[in-house]
Amino acid sequence: MKLVVLGLSLSSSWGNGHATTYRALLKAFAARGHDVLFLERDVPWYAGQRDLADPDWCRLAFYRDLDELAGWAGEVARADAVIVGSYVPDGVAVGEWVQATATGTTGFYDIDTPVTLARLARGDVEYLSPASIPGYDVYLSFTGGPMLARIEAEYGSPAARALYCSVDPAAYRPTGAATRWDLSYLGTYSPDRQPVLEELLIAPARAAPDRRFVVAGPQYPAGIDWPANVERIEHLAPVDHADFYSASRWTLNVTRADMVAAGWSPSVRLFEAAACACPIVSDRWDGLDELLVPDREIVLADGADDVLAALARDDAVAIGRAGQARVLARHTAAHRAAELEGYLLDAARRVAPLVRAGSSE
């Protein structure tokens, strides 16, 4: 299969979770014998922070604007499948061009589904419009559960399918790094996540000054009052993630508000931490217990006291190993690549009779 992906970024993991998601998925997809071309908008904030310039498992190319993207029309037309991702700059125009140009299967990969639907409800069509959704043969959603039926019923998608993020176990595994922190958190600043981070990490840090905490990620405002025992790391490249989790006795998972409301929205950090056998403390949302078993493979927390209780548990290692076993059995990039292949082939089978019928009229 020849696949073309137009995504937010493959080259830079700075300030986004898309790059590591695409890297794991497309590397595994290519390992199944497929040819992959990734087209990325060349923007300065990623150009200056690239940590993957020349992958050996796919072609990576950049375009400066829509006019330059048009130069790739031949590749898009010849592809068996073309996927447009969420948050792509000028995403509506890009999607319309893909739907008009592609002759194979077209798909939209939404790594931000609850945020996307909340935007559409407000009339915000920055990267996807309601009118464009029925034109994609398959809507690949970061979120599962009831939201899939909603995408089909309310927005006219012919097929909405869950394609959760995943983890590359070759990149995310225990490294033997010496323990440095009792509780860590890795994530870009987000206003709707910050109150939860305050409750589940900063408040416990103030209550337990003898314990060590760390928050890694960019874009946090200068005015945040970090306790003295909370270390700050401005940016952590993916190559350092496994050491980061391996050096953490526990790590914290915090979910964006729209995704908590939707449920069934695991972040890539959840799977990456688990693959490193790092025990996870997480906020609570519907569907999480279908991915990891509470109190056996993950610990759920509603407030600072729950976090402090988790840090005092003596079964952290067992919880980390159990979470790792579950993720490696069901949520690796190889699992996701097989699912993606199946979804694209199924969409091609559904669309082919319609194309034949249309051409015979």
Side-chain angles (χ1 to χ4, degrees), residues 1 10 49 95 288:
M1 185 184 300
L10 186 73
Q49 300 279 352
L288 178 54

Side-chain angles (χ1 to χ4, degrees), residues 11-333:
S11 72
S12 176
S13 63
W14 183 85
N16 74 86
H18 289 227
T20 53
T21 295
Y22 281 125
R23 291 172 191 180
L25 175 66
L26 298 180
K27 181 180 178 182
F29 193 76
R32 295 179 66 84
H34 304 304
D35 177 76
V36 180
L37 167 64
F38 193 97
L39 298 176
E40 178 177 334
R41 184 73 166 261
D42 194 5
V43 294
W45 48 91
Y46 292 147
Q49 300 279 352
R50 285 184 179 141
D51 45 22
L52 181 68
D54 186 24
D56 59 7
W57 34 266
C58 82
R59 289 181 293 157
L60 169 60
F62 301 91
Y63 62 95
R64 288 174 295 182
D65 50 36
L66 294 174
D67 289 338
E68 194 166 286
L69 177 61
W72 293 94
E75 294 273 5
V76 169
R78 290 189 294 271
D80 298 292
V82 184
I83 294 173
V84 179
S86 53
Y87 276 96
V88 167
D90 296 315
V92 173
V94 169
E96 291 173 348
W97 177 77
V98 164
Q99 292 177 10
T101 306
T103 60
T105 301
T106 60
F108 184 77
Y109 187 19
D110 200 341
I111 301 177
D112 309 274
T113 310
V115 176
T116 299
L117 297 194
R119 282 173 171 261
L120 294 182
R122 298 193 301 267
D124 182 342
V125 292
E126 177 186 355
Y127 55 84
L128 182 69
S129 70
S132 64
I133 293 176
Y136 288 111
D137 300 318
V138 59
Y139 193 117
L140 304 165
S141 173
F142 171 99
T143 298
M147 191 161 280
L148 300 175
R150 179 183 169 195
I151 293 168
E152 293 180 355
E154 295 184 21
Y155 292 98
S157 169
R161 302 289 184 263
L163 189 68
Y164 292 135
C165 50
S166 62
V167 63
D168 178 357
Y172 289 86
R173 62 190 188 280
T175 67
T179 301
R180 294 179 58 187
W181 306 290
D182 293 290
L183 181 66
S184 66
Y185 174 71
L186 174 57
T188 301
Y189 172 78
S190 175
D192 63 342
R193 275 197 300 246
Q194 190 60 22
V196 184
L197 185 64
E198 295 269 353
E199 176 64 26
L200 299 186
L201 188 142
I202 294 179
R206 290 198 176 100
D210 57 323
R211 293 193 181 275
R212 295 165 296 168
F213 300 77
V214 62
V215 173
Q219 301 179 13
Y220 285 84
I224 295 176
D225 182 18
W226 300 104
N229 58 336
V230 177
E231 182 179 345
R232 274 286 292 125
I233 300 174
E234 180 63 24
H235 174 64
L236 197 71
V239 69
D240 298 318
H241 287 185
D243 274 335
F244 178 82
Y245 289 125
S246 297
S248 306
R249 288 187 58 244
W250 290 84
T251 198
L252 177 67
N253 178 68
V254 178
T255 312
R256 295 189 64 176
D258 287 330
M259 295 176 180
V260 170
W264 289 270
S265 298
S267 73
V268 67
R269 304 291 180 231
L270 189 76
F271 295 141
E272 290 171 352
C276 294
C278 181
I280 300 167
V281 180
S282 178
D283 54 358
R284 192 185 301 269
W285 37 269
D286 289 344
L288 178 54
D289 59 349
E290 297 179 13
L291 302 169
L292 295 167
V293 179
D295 283 326
R296 193 165 72 210
E297 299 166 347
I298 194 169
V299 171
L300 304 183
D302 297 308
D305 289 344
D306 296 328
V307 174
L308 293 170
L311 298 184
R313 293 176 67 140
D314 58 9
D315 59 349
V317 172
I319 290 174
R321 288 175 178 169
Q324 179 192 38
R326 173 62 66 97
V327 165
L328 295 183
R330 299 189 182 183
H331 301 293
T332 68

